[in-house]
Amino acid sequence: MRLWLPPYRGEVERYGSAFGDFVKPSGYDIIISERMAEAFQAEGLTGLQGFHPVEVTRVRVRRKRPQPLKVPRYFVATPCFGRAAMDVAHSRLRIREPMKCTECRCISVDSVHGFTLEPGTWAGEDVFRPRGEQSSIVVSERFAAFVQRHALTNMKLIPTEEFVWDSSRLGPPPDAPGSH
C-alpha cells in the first residue's frame, strides 16, 4: 500500500447534519477530529501515532441538511501494528491457504465469522492492528468506554467474536458453532 505523505489534504463526505469524529480512508491511516485527538492524548490512551493536521479541501454533502457553520479540524493518525496475534485455532475462519509465517500470521482468508486473540500476545495497547488480521483495527475495552464517555461519532465498535467479514457470502466455516 502507498503511504500518505505530507501535506495531508483531503475531501470529507458528510452524510448527516454533523461531521463525524472518525473517518476511515483507504490505507492504514485513520482521520480523527480535533476533539477526539485531544481527548485521546489527555486520557493517556495508547496505540495511535502521528496526529498530523489534515487540510479539508472540500466538503461533499450526501443528504441535504443545513450546512454547519464550521468544518472541524482533523488529524491523521496511524494505529500501531501490535504484537497481539489472532488465535487461528480458536477463531471462526474460512481459510483458503494456511499460515506461512508464524511472525506476521498472514493467512489467505475467504471469510471471518468472529476471531479471538492468542492469550499472552496483547501488550495492552488501546488501539492496534493484530498480527493475522492487520486489515482490522482492534480496540480495548478502555477505548470503547472512552468513545461512549465522549459521545464520539461515526464509528461502530463490534466485539471481535461477533466481527463478520464475508464479502462472498460463504457463511461460517463448516465446523463453526451454530453453522449446522
Side-chain angles (χ1 to χ4, degrees):
M1 248 187 258
R2 295 177 131 181
L3 293 176
W4 189 15
L5 300 172
Y8 300 106
R9 294 185 184 123
E11 297 179 359
V12 174
E13 288 186 27
R14 188 176 51 100
Y15 288 86
S17 60
F19 289 94
D21 290 302
F22 176 87
V23 180
K24 177 64 186 99
S26 61
Y28 288 122
D29 297 320
I30 62 172
I31 298 172
I32 59 177
S33 66
E34 181 175 38
R35 83 182 188 101
M36 182 174 170
E38 287 175 351
F40 184 92
Q41 293 171 322
E43 291 197 22
L45 274 71
T46 61
L48 291 181
Q49 304 156 342
F51 298 96
H52 303 290
V54 174
E55 177 189 347
V56 176
T57 58
R58 181 177 174 193
V59 175
R60 293 178 184 236
V61 179
R62 291 295 178 188
R63 293 184 194 145
K64 296 296 180 193
R65 305 278 175 137
Q67 185 75 7
L69 298 175
K70 184 178 174 189
V71 176
R73 288 187 54 194
Y74 284 101
F75 292 84
V76 62
T78 306
C80 72
F81 287 89
R83 295 295 308 148
M86 182 169 55
D87 188 338
V88 175
H90 294 100
S91 297
R92 296 182 306 156
L93 313 169
R94 281 190 177 266
I95 299 173
R96 187 175 339 124
E97 293 179 30
M99 184 185 324
K100 295 178 183 168
C101 174
T102 57
E103 177 58 27
C104 69
R105 303 277 176 112
C106 287
I107 53 177
S108 294
V109 175
D110 286 328
S111 69
V112 177
H113 292 269
F115 69 94
T116 62
L117 298 178
E118 189 174 290
T121 60
W122 178 47
E125 305 93 345
D126 293 302
V127 181
F128 62 96
R129 293 180 184 278
R131 294 182 294 145
E133 187 54 39
Q134 292 92 337
S135 62
S136 295
I137 299 171
V138 177
V139 301
S140 67
E141 288 180 4
R142 184 171 102 145
F143 182 85
F146 161 79
V147 168
Q148 188 173 14
R149 192 170 46 258
H150 290 278
L152 298 172
T153 62
N154 204 39
M155 59 186 112
K156 183 177 183 180
L157 302 179
I158 303 167
T160 58
E161 60 273 5
E162 296 175 20
F163 173 77
V164 174
W165 175 81
D166 190 358
S167 60
S168 298
R169 298 182 183 173
L170 299 171
D175 57 348
S179 63
H180 300 290

